[in-house]
Amino acid sequence: MSESSASRAQSIRSASKRLDSFHSASYFSAAVAQALAEAGLSPRNQYLAVRSAPLGAASPELVTATFYSFSPAFVAARVPACWDEAAPSEVCAARLAGVEAMCAELFSASAAGSADSLEELRAAAERVREALAPVLAAQDLSGRALYAGHRAALRPEAVRAQDGTLQVFLDLWADITLLREYRGDGHLASLISGGLTGLEAIVLDSATGRSFTPTAMRKSRGWSEEEWRATAELLADRGLLTDGTDSADLAEEGLELKAAIEDLTDDSVAAAWEVLDDAALAALKTDAKALAVRVAESGTIPRKLFGHG
């Protein structure tokens, strides 16, 4: 990869990460959780149900495969039982209702600090949507199961806000979700190419200090401490981790493997982003930062769950 192409890939990665904070907030939002509960979903089933509902009444095997990093036993304890609580179509509708309620909290004049600040955020959202439109149009379905399901579930006629003043933010959340699931499917293919199982991948991810802490990762993905420890020790034996403890860092070979996987992930989305020139990409990064700051200021995503790398 040339220096210029590497710089562009880093800019795309940075813009994607900033935008993704808005999508990710929906997994921690009390408003979204309430909407899902009102649809009948118990709290323990909500995450797996809400993200797999675009696939239909998915089996535990399908969810385990497409989510990649979750314990099969953890998934099987929740899927397909979640579909007895709420049908996939009901889950998709409740999710959007909850996201609209979250948007009302994030993007009010009082939350933004002033009416002028809110209008600046609204203008940024509109510019981001305009910039992303050709990128989303260029995203191919091939080999991307979760993205394909979400593209069907988040077709424009399905994403309708009850409050018209929130429509641009709800539309933006849907756009970012499609961007995220497309990159996510590409990342899973990169992990497979890198020879990592789902558990190995998240053990290494936690060791970067930039993802969930090991404790938070085990709880959210359903792995026991014994399973985690055994895998960490094997990764240490392979020279990828400094040791098998929760305080382990990536060893030099682990850093190289993580970098190679991220490069492959960048490659998996590069074609779709070719429609934006460098100036448009730079402008998108700026607007994405403004939206990410608003999400961070809201405290919706609890920082204590994450490392400090």
Side-chain angles (χ1 to χ4, degrees):
M1 184 181 291
S2 69
E3 183 176 349
S4 60
S5 60
S7 175
R8 181 173 171 83
Q10 183 57 48
S11 291
I12 293 169
R13 191 187 301 181
S14 176
S16 299
K17 184 175 181 180
R18 290 174 180 178
L19 292 171
D20 187 55
S21 65
F22 182 27
H23 166 87
S24 296
S26 66
Y27 298 125
F28 300 96
S29 165
V32 175
Q34 180 179 341
L36 295 172
E38 290 173 356
L41 279 176
S42 55
R44 73 192 299 266
N45 292 342
Q46 287 183 0
Y47 178 83
L48 293 180
V50 79
R51 197 161 162 240
S52 64
L55 299 174
S59 67
E61 292 83 2
L62 180 56
V63 173
T64 299
T66 53
F67 284 38
Y68 199 77
S69 62
F70 284 71
S71 160
F74 181 86
V75 174
R78 292 158 175 78
V79 179
C82 60
W83 310 131
D84 293 330
E85 296 180 338
S89 60
E90 296 170 334
V91 174
C92 289
R95 182 190 205 185
L96 286 172
V99 170
E100 181 178 349
M102 178 186 77
C103 290
E105 295 174 348
L106 288 173
F107 302 111
S108 66
S110 59
S114 69
D116 288 344
S117 295
L118 176 58
E119 286 310 305
E120 289 173 6
L121 287 169
R122 186 183 306 279
E126 291 170 347
R127 290 192 298 269
V128 170
R129 291 208 69 224
E130 182 178 359
L132 288 181
V135 178
L136 294 173
Q139 291 186 163
D140 184 63
L141 289 170
S142 303
R144 307 204 191 227
L146 271 176
Y147 165 66
H150 279 79
R151 197 167 92 172
L154 296 177
R155 61 196 185 282
E157 60 268 27
V159 184
R160 305 309 306 166
Q162 295 298 307
D163 181 347
T165 66
L166 297 172
Q167 187 65 53
V168 66
F169 298 113
L170 187 61
D171 285 336
L172 178 62
W173 180 88
D175 289 349
I176 293 170
T177 299
L178 295 180
L179 197 73
R180 186 262 181 122
E181 296 296 359
Y182 183 81
R183 186 180 182 93
D185 283 341
H187 184 58
L188 299 192
S190 302
L191 290 171
I192 293 169
S193 296
L196 294 177
T197 66
L199 178 53
E200 289 171 342
I202 57 174
V203 171
L204 292 179
D205 208 32
S206 284
T208 67
R210 297 188 297 273
S211 184
F212 283 128
T213 65
T215 299
M217 192 76 88
R218 285 193 292 268
K219 182 178 180 180
S220 65
R221 301 306 191 260
W223 297 99
S224 69
E225 187 165 352
E226 293 74 21
E227 290 169 320
W228 185 280
R229 195 70 54 231
T231 297
E233 289 171 357
L234 287 173
L235 291 171
D237 290 343
R238 288 166 57 185
L240 300 177
L241 284 179
T242 53
D243 56 63
T245 69
D246 279 356
S247 59
D249 294 317
L250 291 176
E252 189 62 33
E253 288 187 31
L255 289 167
E256 292 174 358
L257 178 58
K258 283 286 290 180
I261 288 170
E262 292 305 319
D263 286 345
L264 283 174
T265 303
D266 291 338
D267 291 344
S268 78
V269 303
W273 284 86
E274 286 179 357
V275 294
L276 290 190
D277 61 24
D278 290 346
L281 180 56
L284 174 63
K285 281 180 62 180
T286 299
D287 284 331
K289 182 178 180 180
L291 293 162
V293 167
R294 173 78 282 275
V295 172
E297 289 174 344
S298 74
T300 305
I301 301 176
R303 297 308 309 166
K304 66 180 182 180
L305 299 179
F306 297 85
H308 303 285

